[in-house]
Amino acid sequence: MIISGKELAASLKAQMAAEVATFEERYGRVPHLAVILVGEDPGSVSYVTGKAKASAEVGIKNTTIRRPATISEEELLGIIAELNADDAVDGILVQLPLPKHINSDKVIAAIDCSKDVDGFHPMNVAALWQKQPCVLPCTPKGIIKMLKVAGVEIAGKNAVVVGRSNIVGLPVSKLLLDENATVTITHSRTKNLGEVTSKADILVVAIGRPKFVTADMVGEGAVVIDVGVNRDPESGKLCGDVDFAAIEPKASVITPVPGGVGPMTICCLMENTIECFLRKQA
Ligand code: L34
């Protein structure tokens, strides 16, 4: 079975649109998401465009602030301070990665935690790991939703995560643990990686290299979640981290790239923006 993140995201966005349609009357305004894009990396431009498009579909106000890669850290922090102070802004997202001369940890920490729709702020990360209420990071949240909709039982399963980034690897491991999976966190330098991954009931790959996971690394009947978004060096087409053509026949469930985890990431961003908006209305 191939899980279409694109279709699931479309149906969830339609539900959110129906909810948001009642906000103007109930609260006098709609949620407002501010997205900051520094530079013109084609991938980032595409993802940020996707976020603006999804906002329009759901009825969320989107302001995308584009600045050149040469912007100073100080200037960027100034923009964030203004958005923090603006009561009409509910969510703030700084698209990553940032240029090397900017300290992204400092930038993320500067965002008002109550507007942190990415769930990247250190206070939010701490809350997640301490089992406190928090905003769940979009990609991991989207992955758990896909597994649930596909009817995948997570509790008691052997989940193997390849990758340990703050954006995906670490938080998705935590969410799987919270669903009572037994989780192994691996990475590109794990010894005998294939031996570890081939024993996974649920395999989540977030490494960022085309065809990093080959068919011999996946067990028969595994659930395979491909978080990679890469360019195939041969065809130039978008592809994931797993060799889809070779692994799809072995997997019981698999996500495609494009049309899998990416659209769910954006869908969960919409959900988080509504959540931050509603928290203010109470
Ligand atoms: N601050 N930075 C911040 N928040 C995030 O949540 C992200 N991420 C990651 C990169 N930097 C970030 C994203 O938005 C990755 N990411 C993301 C979002 C959407 C898609 C891919 C990555 C996506 O929609 N992918 C489409 C294809 C898009 C295309 O054609 O380029 C897909 O179907 O996979």
Side-chain angles (χ1 to χ4, degrees):
M1 177 175 58
I2 300 173
I3 318 178
S4 171
K6 198 176 165 186
E7 273 174 36
L8 176 56
S11 96
L12 293 171
K13 282 185 287 185
Q15 285 174 33
M16 286 187 266
E19 190 192 352
V20 172
T22 67
F23 287 176
E24 190 73 60
E25 193 177 69
R26 268 204 265 178
Y27 309 112
R29 64 182 194 93
V30 297
H32 181 186
L33 170 66
V35 175
I36 306 174
L37 171 60
V38 177
E40 21 232 64
D41 169 72
S44 298
V45 170
S46 156
Y47 308 154
V48 162
T49 305
K51 290 171 187 188
K53 209 174 139 241
S55 302
E57 284 168 34
V58 172
I60 289 173
K61 180 178 172 189
N62 182 298
T63 305
T64 301
I65 301 169
R66 291 190 63 163
R67 287 294 180 271
T70 52
I71 189 176
S72 69
E73 186 179 283
E74 198 184 353
E75 244 182 298
L76 182 56
L77 291 171
I79 296 172
I80 292 169
E82 271 178 42
L83 295 170
N84 284 344
D86 187 343
D87 284 338
V89 172
D90 304 289
I92 304 171
L93 179 151
V94 180
Q95 189 68 21
L96 300 176
L98 287 168
K100 283 196 190 72
H101 68 275
I102 297 175
N103 180 342
S104 26
D105 289 337
K106 195 169 163 187
V107 168
I108 291 167
I111 296 170
D112 179 335
C113 193
S114 70
K115 300 187 182 188
D116 174 32
V117 283
D118 262 331
F120 291 169
H121 189 282
M123 292 298 287
N124 233 323
V125 177
L128 172 67
W129 288 88
Q130 292 176 343
K131 305 188 180 102
Q132 302 297 318
C134 62
V135 169
L136 296 178
C138 303
T139 302
K141 186 178 182 180
I143 290 170
I144 301 294
K145 275 190 201 285
M146 290 172 98
L147 290 171
K148 290 195 170 163
V149 166
V152 174
E153 171 92 30
I154 304 174
K157 292 295 167 61
N158 182 21
V160 174
V161 176
V162 187
R164 48 180 159 175
S165 71
N166 289 335
I167 297 190
V168 183
L170 294 180
V172 81
S173 300
K174 169 65 172 145
L175 295 191
L176 287 164
L177 194 59
D178 289 345
E179 297 290 338
N180 300 314
T182 301
V183 183
T184 305
I185 305 176
T186 69
H187 42 82
S188 60
R189 297 215 288 266
T190 297
K191 262 193 200 163
N192 305 322
L193 179 61
E195 262 172 50
V196 181
T197 56
S198 51
K199 291 191 189 95
D201 302 312
I202 301 170
L203 179 61
V204 180
V205 190
I207 208 91
R209 290 194 217 162
K211 294 189 187 164
F212 181 79
V213 174
T214 47
D216 57 300
M217 294 167 73
V218 178
E220 206 64 51
V223 172
V224 180
I225 306 291
D226 190 349
V227 189
V229 191
N230 315 298
R231 289 274 159 199
D232 186 319
E234 285 150 38
S235 68
K237 283 192 194 151
L238 228 47
C239 71
D241 289 348
V242 311
D243 184 348
F244 187 87
I247 290 169
E248 194 260 332
K250 282 183 107 174
S252 61
V253 175
I254 190 166
T255 62
V257 178
V261 174
M264 287 303 295
T265 295
I266 295 183
C267 173
C268 290
L269 173 65
M270 299 299 110
E271 224 181 71
N272 287 352
T273 304
I274 294 171
E275 194 179 305
C276 288
F277 167 84
L278 286 176
R279 222 189 289 124
K280 279 209 253 169
Q281 311 305 319

